[in-house]
Structures are given as structure tokens and as C-alpha cells.
Amino acid sequence: MLYYFHQIFDINILSYISVRAGIAFFLAFCLTVFLLPKYLAWSISKKANQPINKYVPIHEVKQYTPTMGGAVFISATIIASIVSADITNWHTVAGLITLIAFALIGLKDDLGKILSGDNLEGLSARTKFGLQIAASILIALILILFADFPTELYVPFLKQPLLDMGYWSILFWVCVLVATSNAVNLTDGLDGLATVPTVVALGTLSIIVYVTGHAIFSDYLLLPNINGVGEAIIIASALCGALLAFLWYNCYPAELFMGDTGSLSIGAFLAYMAILGKSEVLLMLIGIIFVIETVSVILQVGSYKLRNKRVFLMAPIHHHFEMKKWAENKIIVRFWMIAFLANLLALITLKIR
């Protein structure tokens, strides 16, 4: 909407992505702050509580905490993005579809858990993966067929692309989207643990995407120049604003959980931003916390099946530290620090080519 005000009324300041990104940030923040108390009151009255997994450390205080807060901040993000971004831009369209599709998958899963009263109910693993793969294929096809998005694979420290994946990029992007979505979902186990690393990662990826969409900056840093990707920064900025507002209620002790509605959606959008910034490989450093959490689960399951022994006291790894009697706040803040340092390193790699 604001983008068209610039065109119709010749308001030049609205032509700048940075200005519209700032507006989207504060609009999503204010919408989330306004809507969350209303949603909290409604969810408490309807007893839309988060069923706690019986196999993880007991948190009595969390037994009756409302969930599906992701529905609120994702809705606020979408509204702020539609108001601020160019919705005729295919990169914007694909970004909004990413948020909506994965949020709907998570919503279906959350509703199943709430209605059954069991954290292990909801969508089956096969159904969830199938829906995620279908959504990811749709996003990849939009990028290739409509956005004319390049298919080269870039890796850190190399000036030139490693290879052109062609249509194999669809398979690669599907793997990135599904893996990152589930990695954030695994991480969302303590109050605010997934929220802050996501905001930090979105900040880093927004810088990379902005540089990628800027002819001068991309040439200087030897990054690919992809026309039009900068509009996706507005969605990322809106999501950051919405997540910070959500953190007001999600920080320890949490009054509200984001649920799979939020975690699957923000994970997929992180992957989408990494794809736009040709930083799919660098995403492993940018999202280091999500990688660590996922690897801990893989190691635990693999070790138990192969050797009948556990690597950790419990997986994902944040539960391991809980079992070692670390205070929840200590685990959360230390993980935040690791995320921040890793993202600084990721930004430094942009200059080393």
C-alpha cells in the first residue's frame, strides 16, 4: 500500500526499502502488542493450553500456559507487510506464502495437540513432512518460474558460485526450508529460546539480502546481484517487530507459547531469506543454535538405535542442561550469546572472499 502511495502521490521517501521496513517493524510491533492481550484472554477462557511433553523435565508452572501465540505475530507480520511492501513483487509474494503455508501446518498440529490434551498427538510425522515438502515445492517453483531467481550455489569465502544447480535447486531449497523449519521447532522448548536467535538471524539475513539486491554493494562485496529481492526485507523487519512484541509475553516465565504455528513458520522464513541471499550454506552459522539443537537430536537417536546408549541426558540439548540442573534463564541467555556471536562471524565472512 505505502509503495503505491509513493507512485501515485510522488512521495519519494516511501520508495526507500529502509523506510518502509522501519514502518513495517513498528506497525507489526504495535499490532502484536494490541492483539496479544486479547488473544491471551480468549485462549485462557477456552483453555487453549500447551500440553507439556511427558518425557521432558517437568515444569509445573507451564502446565496451563496458552499456546498458538504464533498465529497472532504471524498475522501481524502479514498485515504490516501488505501495508508496507510491494505485493506485486514475486519475492514478496513467495515470502508471504512461506509464512502463511507453514503457519497453517503448525496451526493444524497445535489444534490436534490441544484438542487431544497430549503433546505427542496432532499431525503425524509423515503428514507434517508431506505438507512441509508440498509447501516448499510451491515456494521453490514460484522463485524459478515467476521470480526468475538464479539457481547458482554460493558458499562462503568463494568469489564465484560453486555450481549452477539448475532445476536440482528445487530439491535443495525444499531440503533447506523443511530442515530449518523443523530445527526452529525443536529449539522452541524454553521461554524465549527460539525467539531471540530468530530475531538476530533475521537481522543478519536482512543485511545480506539488502546487499544482494543492491547493485553497488553487491559488486563491492563480490556477492550476486539479484534484482527485487530487497522487498523481502520488509517482511523480515515486520517479523522482527512482531517477535519482539511477542517476547514481552514469552520471556521467562512465559505467559504464552508460540506453538508450532509460530516455530514452523519463522523457521521456514529464515530458510527463505537465506535462499534469497544465496546464503543457504552460511545459514548453518547464522542459525547455529538451531543447528546444535537438531544435531543433538540426530546424535541421540542415532546413538540409541546403534549402540543402545545415549549421548546426552536428554535431547534436544537444552533439556540436557536442564537435567544437569542449570537454571532455565542461564540456558536461554547463554544460547542467545552464542547466537549473537555466530551471527557476527557470519557477517565478517561477507568481506572475506
Side-chain angles (χ1 to χ4, degrees):
M1 189 182 300
L2 295 178
Y3 180 78
Y4 303 108
F5 283 178
H6 144 64
Q7 293 183 322
I8 297 170
F9 301 108
D10 196 27
I11 305 175
N12 191 53
I13 193 172
L14 295 179
S15 67
Y16 294 103
I17 289 174
S18 56
V19 172
R20 288 184 286 120
I23 293 172
F25 177 94
F26 284 104
L27 180 56
F29 180 89
C30 292
L31 277 172
T32 306
V33 167
F34 174 75
L35 292 173
L36 274 180
K38 300 180 183 301
Y39 174 77
L40 263 173
W42 175 85
S43 59
I44 291 171
S45 67
K46 297 297 182 181
K47 297 182 179 179
N49 303 326
Q50 170 74 57
I52 303 300
N53 191 328
K54 59 187 176 183
Y55 296 110
V56 303
I58 299 298
H59 295 273
E60 295 292 343
V61 71
K62 299 184 181 184
Q63 290 290 335
Y64 304 104
T65 304
T67 188
M68 291 197 303
V72 177
F73 67 71
I74 293 299
S75 298
T77 299
I78 292 167
I79 293 170
S81 300
I82 291 173
V83 169
S84 306
D86 175 11
I87 56 174
T88 64
N89 181 302
W90 281 108
H91 302 104
T92 302
V93 172
L96 291 174
I97 289 175
T98 301
L99 285 175
I100 295 169
F102 280 82
L104 289 175
I105 296 169
L107 182 65
K108 176 68 174 174
D109 195 33
D110 284 334
L111 287 173
K113 294 173 183 177
I114 291 170
L115 294 175
S116 67
D118 189 342
N119 187 270
L120 299 178
E121 295 295 330
L123 291 175
S124 66
R126 179 177 295 181
T127 302
K128 183 186 288 188
F129 274 111
L131 291 172
Q132 288 176 313
I133 291 169
S136 300
I137 290 173
L138 173 62
I139 295 159
L141 287 174
I142 290 173
L143 287 177
I144 288 181
L145 299 179
F146 297 100
D148 195 27
F149 194 76
T151 56
E152 291 88 358
L153 174 65
Y154 285 80
V155 297
F157 311 118
L158 295 184
K159 298 178 182 179
Q160 301 299 325
L162 187 64
L163 58 94
D164 187 347
M165 297 181 290
Y167 283 104
W168 286 104
S169 60
I170 295 175
L171 177 60
F172 178 61
W173 293 340
V174 167
C175 291
V176 174
L177 285 160
V178 173
T180 310
S181 176
N182 286 293
V184 175
N185 184 233
L186 286 172
T187 305
D188 184 35
L190 298 179
D191 301 344
L193 181 59
T195 306
V196 171
T198 298
V199 172
V200 174
L202 282 172
T204 298
L205 289 167
S206 293
I207 292 171
I208 295 172
V209 171
Y210 183 81
V211 170
T212 302
H214 196 289
I216 297 175
F217 292 162
S218 60
D219 181 65
Y220 173 70
L221 291 173
L222 302 175
L223 290 172
N225 178 228
I226 307 171
N227 186 44
V229 296
E231 283 294 318
I233 297 169
I234 295 170
I235 306 176
S237 180
L239 184 54
C240 284
L243 281 170
L244 285 177
F246 172 72
L247 185 63
W248 185 270
Y249 297 91
N250 185 237
C251 62
Y252 182 83
E255 300 172 58
L256 178 66
F257 297 141
M258 67 171 68
D260 286 13
T261 309
S263 60
L264 291 180
S265 186
I266 62 179
F269 189 73
L270 281 175
Y272 177 72
M273 288 293 287
I275 291 168
L276 291 190
K278 290 296 177 183
S279 301
E280 300 96 336
V281 177
L282 190 59
L283 182 60
M284 289 190 288
L285 180 59
I286 294 170
I288 188 68
I289 293 299
F290 311 127
V291 173
I292 291 171
E293 294 275 14
T294 305
V295 170
S296 71
V297 173
I298 294 171
L299 289 175
Q300 185 84 326
V301 173
S303 176
Y304 191 77
K305 286 186 175 181
L306 294 174
R307 306 184 304 142
N308 202 32
K309 292 182 180 179
R310 292 179 172 87
V311 178
F312 306 101
L313 296 176
M314 186 173 289
I317 197 169
H318 59 260
H319 290 316
H320 170 80
F321 292 115
E322 281 191 291
M323 298 295 288
K324 290 178 73 67
K325 305 303 181 183
W326 283 27
E328 184 169 344
N329 266 348
K330 179 179 288 188
I331 301 169
I332 294 166
V333 173
R334 286 180 174 176
F335 276 43
W336 288 356
M337 292 169 64
I338 293 169
F340 181 76
L341 292 172
N343 276 264
L344 283 180
L345 289 174
L347 288 174
I348 290 171
T349 66
L350 297 182
K351 185 61 179 173
I352 306 173
R353 288 180 181 269

